[in-house]
Amino acid sequence: MSTQKIAVVTGGNKGVGYAIVKGLCERFKGTIYLTARNEERGKAAIAKLKELGFQPLFHQLDITDQASVNKFKEHIQTTHGGIDLLVNNAGILYSKDASEPFAEQAEQTVAINYFGTLRISEALFPLLRNSARVINLSSSAGHLYRIPSADIRAKFSDAALTIPELSKLMDKFVKDAKENKAEQEGWGNPPYCAYIVSKVGVSALTIIQQRLFDKEVPNRNISANFVHPGYVKTDMNTKGHLTIEQGAKAPLYLALDANLKGKYVWFNCQVVDWYGETTPPKV
């Protein structure tokens, strides 16, 4: 079993995820896994990186599918025994002109962005080695004050909030969306509030994860941070103006350079107060 350092990037076949893998290939001293839900697209991304002289590995991974998650975990555990870096990048954002009903958008967005991130985290966290780093891709939409309701914000920011309680809060949003009550309950304006709630969930999850890491005995000295990569031009966000390489800057900073724990980091690598009422410009 190898003791070589292992990095894993979810949703790495395109966009910011691809740029993160590429940046890791340039600087991370170890084995890098590019994972993707679609095997064909994942392998095409690997081929593209190999043309540049890099040697990342591919493994299929659908963070919404427990069987896929279990298979990947078993592969890592058997082949390498542990992980040193986990970048939870996989996610979804419906376009503004999406035809799917809001209830469907809410359910799917939360299922992938929040529950998918939680699922892969719960599977792989036991494999994290001492001083491992976890980076969760959030968003400017993931800031606490993007939620209009003060009562809901208080629940998200409760210092005693547990992961099961947070998951119940996310389920409550989906239920409210299905009952056409999301706006009146204080979650925000449909349909974009689905993305906001999902990313606020990721942000709150990261804070709880760091709190749990800090309480571990023996302590593995693991860091978990969350990041807004910026207004990046991708197929999810065609109006963005940053390149994918610029969007990868802050995640790579957290992966390779920063010594931070439980922080919210902007695309320019600035630490932002997640609890504060204002944020720097999102671009």
Side-chain angles (χ1 to χ4, degrees):
M1 191 178 294
S2 173
T3 57
Q4 188 178 38
K5 286 186 177 293
I6 303 297
V8 173
V9 180
T10 69
N13 62 290
K14 62 181 179 179
V16 174
Y18 175 84
I20 291 171
V21 173
K22 180 173 176 287
L24 290 174
C25 286
E26 293 168 347
R27 293 187 55 204
F28 183 78
K29 300 188 186 327
T31 298
I32 301 152
Y33 275 89
L34 181 158
T35 71
R37 180 178 57 181
N38 184 290
E39 187 167 345
E40 183 179 342
R41 292 173 184 170
K43 289 182 175 178
I46 290 286
K48 188 175 173 184
L49 288 163
K50 286 186 174 179
E51 288 177 3
L52 298 174
F54 303 124
Q55 297 296 323
L57 301 180
F58 173 73
H59 201 287
Q60 191 276 341
L61 176 62
D62 181 350
I63 63 172
T64 68
D65 180 355
Q66 190 65 53
S68 174
V69 169
N70 292 345
K71 187 175 180 180
F72 180 65
K73 176 184 179 179
E74 183 179 352
H75 170 78
I76 292 293
Q77 191 164 22
T78 302
T79 309
H80 306 287
I83 294 174
D84 302 276
L85 173 63
L86 173 60
V87 182
N88 283 318
N89 166 76
I92 186 175
L93 168 63
Y94 282 86
S95 64
K96 289 184 178 180
D97 57 355
S99 59
E100 292 85 352
F102 170 59
E104 180 181 336
Q105 291 189 38
E107 185 170 35
Q108 289 301 310
T109 302
V110 169
I112 296 170
N113 292 355
Y114 173 76
F115 284 107
T117 298
L118 175 59
R119 181 177 294 105
I120 192 63
S121 296
E122 289 182 333
L124 298 183
F125 278 12
L127 301 184
L128 294 175
R129 293 172 174 150
N130 289 345
S131 299
R133 297 185 176 196
V134 177
I135 296 102
N136 292 332
L137 271 287
S138 184
S139 166
S140 62
H143 189 274
L144 179 63
Y145 269 77
R146 295 299 297 272
I147 302 289
S149 166
D151 288 341
I152 296 176
R153 290 198 304 268
K155 292 175 182 177
F156 273 115
S157 59
D158 185 343
L161 183 68
T162 66
I163 291 176
E165 289 168 346
L166 174 58
S167 294
K168 286 182 181 178
L169 196 56
M170 304 303 286
D171 284 334
K172 171 70 162 55
F173 164 70
V174 173
K175 181 175 181 290
D176 287 343
K178 288 181 176 180
E179 295 175 358
N180 201 29
K181 298 192 303 184
E183 188 170 5
Q184 74 183 61
E185 290 292 318
W187 297 101
N189 298 324
Y192 189 65
C193 68
Y195 185 72
I196 289 173
V197 173
S198 76
K199 289 299 188 178
V200 171
V202 169
S203 301
L205 175 64
T206 314
I207 292 169
I208 298 171
Q209 289 172 337
Q210 184 63 66
R211 190 162 69 237
L212 294 173
F213 285 138
D214 290 343
K215 291 179 180 178
E216 285 185 341
V217 179
N219 193 282
R220 290 181 289 171
N221 188 37
I222 294 171
S223 67
N225 295 288
F226 52 116
V227 60
H228 163 50
Y231 204 41
V232 180
K233 185 177 179 65
T234 66
D235 61 351
M236 288 203 321
N237 181 17
T238 56
K239 294 184 178 180
H241 72 276
L242 296 182
T243 65
I244 58 172
E245 288 79 15
Q246 289 171 318
K249 179 182 176 181
L252 288 169
Y253 166 71
L254 287 169
L256 301 168
D257 301 310
N259 186 21
L260 300 171
K261 289 184 175 181
K263 300 301 183 184
Y264 185 30
V265 175
W266 224 239
F267 71 95
N268 59 1
C269 303
Q270 175 184 352
V271 174
V272 171
D273 181 9
W274 185 67
Y275 303 92
E277 295 186 21
T278 61
T279 64
K282 66 180 180 180
V283 295

